[in-house]
Amino acid sequence: MAWDFETDPEFQKELDWVDNFVRTEIEPLDHILGSAFDVNNPKRNALVRPLQKRVRERKLWATHLGPELGGQGYGQVKLALLNEILGRSAFGPTVFGCQAPDSGNAEILAHYGTAAQKKAYLEPLLDNEIVSCFAMTEPQGGADPEVFTTRATRVGSEWRIDGEKWFASNARFAAFFIVVAVTNPEAPLGSRMSTLIVPAGTPGLEIVRGVGYGDHDDLHAYLRFTNVRIPLDHLLGKEGGGFIVTQVRLGGGRIHHAMRTIAKAKATFDAMCERVLSRRTKGERLADKQMVQEKIADSWVEIEQFRLLVLRTAWLIDKHQDYKRVLKDIAAVKAAMPKVLHDVAGRTLQLHGSIGLSKEMPFAQQLLDSYMLGLADGPTEVHKVTVAKQVLRGYKPTNALFPSYQVQQARERAVELYGPSVAS
């Protein structure tokens, strides 16, 4: 029987190195550089490239990928332990070659890309020479694939794409776009869509405007496709296979978002604890007030509960090597994630008073981030529905007038098993 809550000592040494590396050399980048995705920024590259080189030398680069793609094939549990450190910094994932949305895009290129597609897009993406965009949601229907209207139609030796995409991730700096479009409108939903690769600068591809929120840069975008033509071989996977491709991508992306959310929540919790031990009011420390102690206790419990759920889900993914078999657990992680960050950040903001609300602290932005986490890769409500449906598959209804767990029936079964003489 295997049941363990300890990290392998050798890997723990790596985690200790990562923790110190992120704290002392990567986190400062968040305060002096612009976007981690701006691979054409010479100032960014002058500081980031040497750090990436050290990560490669340490054999910690792109650890979510297998050795055949230049990664270590760590598996999801090790990735979770690593990402709950990297998520403290906006530059952390980039320095370690596992930043979203590129990590998810690399995963589906690795799974479904042709040799030519891997050469043109996957290899430079893995080297962080370029970055990419994932464009699925639409302005008129959000993430609901049943109402997608962006169409890709065969015209001779090309695909013609027409339509609009909303909140397309990382569009501003992307060298290519992975676009989900309807190719078989009359087919069942699961066979209606396809995924296609559209190089940046393709005629007819327009970034209508950048879209940001809070203090973040306008990394997302409103896109318009007008008679966009790409070769037929820019199809990623099979025609009509877009639903499968996106689920593979989103399954991994959701668990990786959760891993990095642990890091954010922990860092915010650390700030909360320092604050209440340092600040005094009404003759005593904030830490000595019971209502404050309740906030500390609730936050610690919620973070630990969420962390265990994420690690267990990661372990199940490693065990089954099939996201479909872990659908319920991934959905549960996705549903729980925004509330944890929201509640911890909200309590921390409150305990910091007016400075907590100001731009001098990150807590107000984290509250907005929590709402983003509740929408990105599918809204929380959808994931709760998935959890409920998956859970109920393990139960059966009864046609009896009274349920089998009725106390009288349970007693009758006990008497039948042990005899009437033992009944009191």
Side-chain angles (χ1 to χ4, degrees):
M1 177 180 178
W3 188 257
D4 200 347
F5 287 98
E6 291 184 329
T7 304
D8 175 85
E10 289 303 311
F11 189 60
Q12 185 60 53
K13 291 179 183 178
E14 296 301 310
L15 293 176
D16 292 341
W17 180 86
V18 172
D19 182 70
N20 180 68
F21 185 53
V22 170
R23 191 176 305 279
T24 59
E25 300 191 53
I26 300 179
E27 288 184 22
L29 297 179
D30 295 348
H31 304 289
I32 58 174
L33 290 179
S35 173
F37 297 98
D38 189 0
V39 293
N40 296 315
N41 181 350
K43 292 181 179 179
R44 177 261 195 201
N45 292 338
L47 295 177
V48 169
R49 297 299 187 200
L51 299 180
Q52 291 176 328
K53 183 175 184 292
R54 290 171 62 185
V55 169
R56 290 178 185 273
E57 292 170 350
R58 193 85 184 189
K59 297 183 178 179
L60 290 170
W61 179 260
T63 52
H64 60 297
L65 297 172
E68 73 281 1
L69 294 172
Q72 298 298 312
Y74 266 0
Q76 299 298 321
V77 172
K78 283 188 173 181
L79 275 179
L81 296 171
L82 181 64
N83 272 289
E84 68 179 12
I85 300 172
L86 301 184
R88 296 201 306 258
S89 166
F91 277 83
T94 294
V95 171
F96 281 75
C98 58
Q99 69 281 359
D102 298 331
S103 56
N105 290 345
E107 186 172 2
I108 57 176
L109 279 165
H111 273 88
Y112 300 102
T114 64
Q117 289 170 348
K118 291 177 182 178
K119 182 70 175 176
Y121 302 107
L122 180 58
E123 292 181 15
L125 188 65
L126 294 180
D127 289 336
N128 195 226
E129 294 175 1
I130 61 173
V131 293
S132 60
C133 172
F134 185 68
M136 185 180 76
T137 56
E138 299 190 357
Q140 82 288 346
D144 183 359
E146 290 193 38
V147 297
F148 285 177
T149 59
T150 298
R151 289 286 306 275
T153 309
R154 287 176 179 264
V155 181
S157 61
E158 295 178 316
W159 289 103
R160 171 180 170 168
I161 305 175
D162 294 279
E164 296 183 340
K165 292 293 179 181
W166 171 253
F167 225 68
S169 52
N170 210 28
R172 179 177 168 189
F173 301 114
F176 68 94
F177 298 69
I178 294 181
V179 180
V180 180
V182 176
T183 50
N184 305 288
E186 304 305 321
L189 181 61
S191 305
R192 193 177 300 171
M193 302 175 297
S194 300
T195 50
L196 304 106
I197 301 171
V198 180
T202 300
L205 169 56
E206 175 190 1
I207 297 180
V208 178
R209 63 176 180 269
V211 181
Y213 66 95
D215 293 334
H216 288 322
D217 291 335
D218 296 347
L219 284 179
H220 306 284
Y222 177 20
L223 303 179
R224 181 171 294 137
F225 299 82
T226 306
N227 193 22
V228 171
R229 302 296 185 104
I230 57 172
L232 290 178
D233 63 7
H234 279 43
L235 179 70
L236 184 58
K238 296 180 179 179
E239 183 177 348
F243 190 80
I244 296 173
V245 172
T246 56
Q247 287 308 303
V248 167
R249 185 198 182 282
L250 293 174
R254 286 160 181 157
I255 188 73
H256 298 159
H257 269 312
M259 296 170 184
R260 290 187 285 269
T261 299
I262 295 170
K264 291 183 175 66
K266 278 186 171 182
T268 304
F269 180 72
D270 290 344
M272 183 193 303
C273 291
E274 180 179 319
R275 175 70 170 184
V276 302
L277 289 170
S278 307
R279 191 78 167 183
R280 301 183 68 86
T281 186
K282 301 294 184 181
E284 63 180 356
R285 302 179 307 174
L286 288 177
D288 297 322
K289 298 183 180 297
Q290 288 183 334
M291 290 183 70
V292 171
Q293 291 168 354
E294 181 185 46
K295 289 179 172 62
I296 298 293
D298 286 347
S299 298
W300 185 87
V301 169
E302 289 169 9
I303 292 170
E304 290 301 309
Q305 287 176 330
F306 181 62
R307 181 174 186 263
L308 288 174
L309 177 62
V310 171
L311 287 171
R312 177 183 174 275
T313 302
W315 173 78
L316 286 170
I317 296 171
D318 286 345
K319 177 182 178 181
H320 296 300
Q321 294 296 308
D322 184 355
Y323 286 121
K324 291 181 181 178
R325 296 187 64 179
V326 197
L327 184 63
K328 172 186 66 182
D329 307 271
I330 293 174
V333 163
K334 181 65 172 64
M337 174 170 53
K339 187 176 188 302
V340 172
L341 183 60
H342 176 277
D343 289 356
V344 175
R347 295 178 190 123
T348 306
L349 187 157
Q350 182 74 13
L351 290 170
H352 277 74
S354 57
I355 196 173
L357 187 63
S358 74
K359 290 185 177 181
E360 295 184 16
M361 292 291 161
F363 313 128
Q365 180 62 52
Q366 287 173 345
L367 285 173
L368 274 178
D369 288 343
S370 74
Y371 287 99
M372 184 278 290
L373 292 174
L375 294 169
D377 296 343
T380 297
E381 293 83 353
V382 170
H383 295 293
K384 287 185 176 181
V385 169
T386 298
V387 173
K389 288 181 176 179
Q390 293 290 320
V391 166
L392 290 174
R393 287 181 180 181
Y395 293 84
K396 295 180 180 180
T398 178
N399 294 319
L401 181 61
F402 297 103
S404 61
Y405 46 83
Q406 183 189 31
V407 173
Q408 290 90 330
Q409 292 187 55
R411 185 177 185 280
E412 290 172 2
R413 290 194 296 270
V415 169
E416 184 178 348
L417 177 63
Y418 292 107
S421 60
V422 299
S424 58

